[in-house]
Structure formats: structure tokens, C-alpha cells
Amino acid sequence: MAAQLIDEDPERAHSHALAASRRAGRIAVVRETLAITAYGIGDFALALRELRTYRRISGKDDMIALIVDSERGVGRPDRALEEGRGVDRAALTPDVRVALAIAMSGARLDRGETELALGELEIPELDPDRAFEWSPALFSARAAVLEDLGRTDEAAFWHERAEVAASALGLDGQFDEIIVEDSLSEDHELEDDDFDGDELDDDGELDDAELDDAELDDDADPEDDLDELEDESEAEAADAESSETPAAPTDAQEDEETEA
């Protein structure tokens, strides 16, 4: 349900994700969904917490770009860059690698490092003559940084390549507004006193005790839910079987049949 609503009604999608996390908080995809919906409504602190929990449960780095962007969202571009540098990019799939490059470029822009922001986008997937699903976003991000550097002719070239790639992929118009922001949101920059060790430890992780005390019920066991469903299914099956079995004839009915 959350996945169906994420684009149309982010707040409602987030509510569904919260409800799911209370019932099955130890399932990786549930925490991943909650992180995505939290990011979608601009709750970057919650998104960070859930993304870290997802990574701990799943052992995967496929959401690293969202972690980097969420660090930017809470006003910590330095930590964002540390997170991005902490993964083996060669082990990432191309789409994740591209998303990470764009997020890292944004973190560089947050720090006023425009040339380095351009350098973050210099990855093997940056091929103007080939179009993949990630190409329009990557080309548009490069064009935006080039514009910031005043290199308008090069920027125009990459804007044109982004449009060509989108058209080739049947995505016309979907990437017109893709840019690398100077900051995700000034409204979500946190002062040091607003984001201290009471929420995250030095590594940006929540302590286990804090996770247990969080608003989400991590103790909900998905196996208990399955057992309940199985019991309900067995009961329904028994009811159905009893309703289909014909009733045994009474003694009076047997006598009547004998006399006949």
C-alpha cells in the first residue's frame, strides 16, 4: 500500500509504512519502505535511522545514495561525504553507483566545492552516446554543475544529451526539473544542539537501547503474525468442511424409509 501511495499521497504512504513497521519491524523491506516514506515527507532524521537499521538487517549498501542525501538533509554534508566514501563503489550496481555520484556531487555543492562536485560525476556511466535508465538524471546533474561553473556551452551539450536519452527511453519531460541542489532544504538544517548524541552516537548509529525505546515496535515478530494467519485459515477450512458434509439421518427418518 505504501508503495502505491508514495507519489500520490506521501503522508498517507508514511502512515501505512509506520503501521507495517509496528507489526514487522525486523523485516528489512519494511524498514526500507519506512525510510523511503520518511525521506519523501522530509523527515531526514527518521530516514537516516531507518536506513541504517535496514543496512544492518540486510547487510546491503543499495540505499547508500539515500543515506548520503539524508545526511545532507539534516545539514551535515561532511558526514554525507564520509558515508559515500565508506562503500566499495565497484560492488554497487550501476544505478546505485550513479545515484551515489549525484548525491555526493550535491554534498560537494553544499560545501561550496563546485569543481569537486563536477569531479564526483566523472564515473564510467557518464557516456553521452549511450542511454540507460540512469542517464538522463546523470547528464542533467552534470549540466547543472557546469552552469554553476559558468561553462554554459558544455552545460547546453549535457542538457541536450539528457533530453535525447530521455526521449530514447520514452521518458520525455520526466527529467526537465532534475538538478543538483545547493542544499536539500534549508528548513531541515539542524543546529548542533538539535541533533546530538541523544539521538545518534558518534558513528551516526542509534544505540540498541535507543532502538528498543523508539516509537517503532521492533519486538513485533512476523512469525507470530504468520501463526495467527495459519490458525485462521485452518478454522475457516474446518467451517467450510462441516458446512459441506451432509447431516446423518435421524432414527425417525430411517423408520420412515423402511416402512416405505
Side-chain angles (χ1 to χ4, degrees), residues 70-125:
S70 295
E71 288 286 8
R72 294 179 60 210
V74 297
R76 302 194 303 190
D78 292 345
R79 181 67 67 85
L81 293 171
E82 290 176 11
E83 288 283 359
R85 288 193 294 262
V87 300
D88 180 7
R89 297 197 190 192
L92 302 175
T93 59
D95 58 323
V96 175
R97 190 161 50 243
V98 169
L100 175 58
I102 294 173
M104 293 287 281
S105 180
R108 291 291 187 186
L109 287 178
D110 293 345
R111 289 165 49 90
E113 300 170 345
T114 313
E115 286 286 355
L116 292 177
L118 186 64
E120 293 287 355
L121 300 172
E122 296 287 348
I123 57 177
E125 288 76 16

Side-chain angles (χ1 to χ4, degrees), residues 131-137 162-178:
F132 298 91
E133 59 179 339
W134 58 79
S135 299
E163 293 175 1
V164 169
S167 178
L169 295 167
L171 303 172
D172 297 29
Q174 292 190 24
F175 294 92
D176 292 347
E177 298 299 323
I178 290 182

Side-chain angles (χ1 to χ4, degrees), residues 36-246:
I36 293 171
T37 60
Y39 178 90
I41 64 171
D43 190 343
F44 301 117
L46 177 58
L48 269 175
R49 187 185 75 184
E50 294 306 312
L51 287 166
R52 296 184 191 283
T53 302
Y54 164 76
R55 182 167 61 180
R56 185 161 54 244
I57 294 173
S58 68
K60 298 179 181 179
D61 283 320
D62 57 332
M63 300 299 290
I64 183 61
L66 209 59
I67 291 177
V68 171
D69 254 349
S70 295
E71 288 286 8
R72 294 179 60 210
V74 297
R76 302 194 303 190
D78 292 345
R79 181 67 67 85
L81 293 171
E82 290 176 11
E83 288 283 359
R85 288 193 294 262
V87 300
D88 180 7
R89 297 197 190 192
L92 302 175
T93 59
D95 58 323
V96 175
R97 190 161 50 243
V98 169
L100 175 58
I102 294 173
M104 293 287 281
S105 180
R108 291 291 187 186
L109 287 178
D110 293 345
R111 289 165 49 90
E113 300 170 345
T114 313
E115 286 286 355
L116 292 177
L118 186 64
E120 293 287 355
L121 300 172
E122 296 287 348
I123 57 177
E125 288 76 16
L126 188 70
D127 185 345
D129 297 322
R130 304 179 68 188
F132 298 91
E133 59 179 339
W134 58 79
S135 299
L138 179 59
F139 297 168
S140 293
R142 182 173 175 81
V145 177
L146 287 167
E147 285 180 346
D148 287 347
L149 289 169
R151 294 158 61 174
T152 55
D153 289 343
E154 293 176 76
F157 169 80
W158 285 102
H159 274 308
E160 186 267 338
R161 298 317 297 170
E163 293 175 1
V164 169
S167 178
L169 295 167
L171 303 172
D172 297 29
Q174 292 190 24
F175 294 92
D176 292 347
E177 298 299 323
I178 290 182
I179 59 173
V180 180
E181 301 274 358
D182 287 343
S183 175
L184 274 177
S185 173
E186 295 180 359
D187 294 338
H188 291 94
E189 290 185 1
L190 302 182
E191 301 293 339
D192 291 340
D193 294 340
D194 294 333
F195 203 90
D196 54 24
D198 291 337
E199 290 187 35
L200 300 178
D201 60 24
D202 292 338
D203 295 327
E205 298 277 358
L206 280 176
D207 294 333
D208 291 338
E210 291 170 330
L211 279 173
D212 291 338
D213 293 335
E215 62 177 343
L216 305 177
D217 184 9
D218 283 1
D219 294 330
D221 193 338
E223 293 184 0
D224 293 340
D225 295 336
L226 291 176
D227 291 340
E228 292 177 4
L229 290 174
E230 290 175 357
D231 292 341
E232 292 175 1
S233 298
E234 291 175 359
E236 291 175 357
D239 292 341
E241 182 178 348
S242 63
S243 64
E244 293 174 359
T245 303

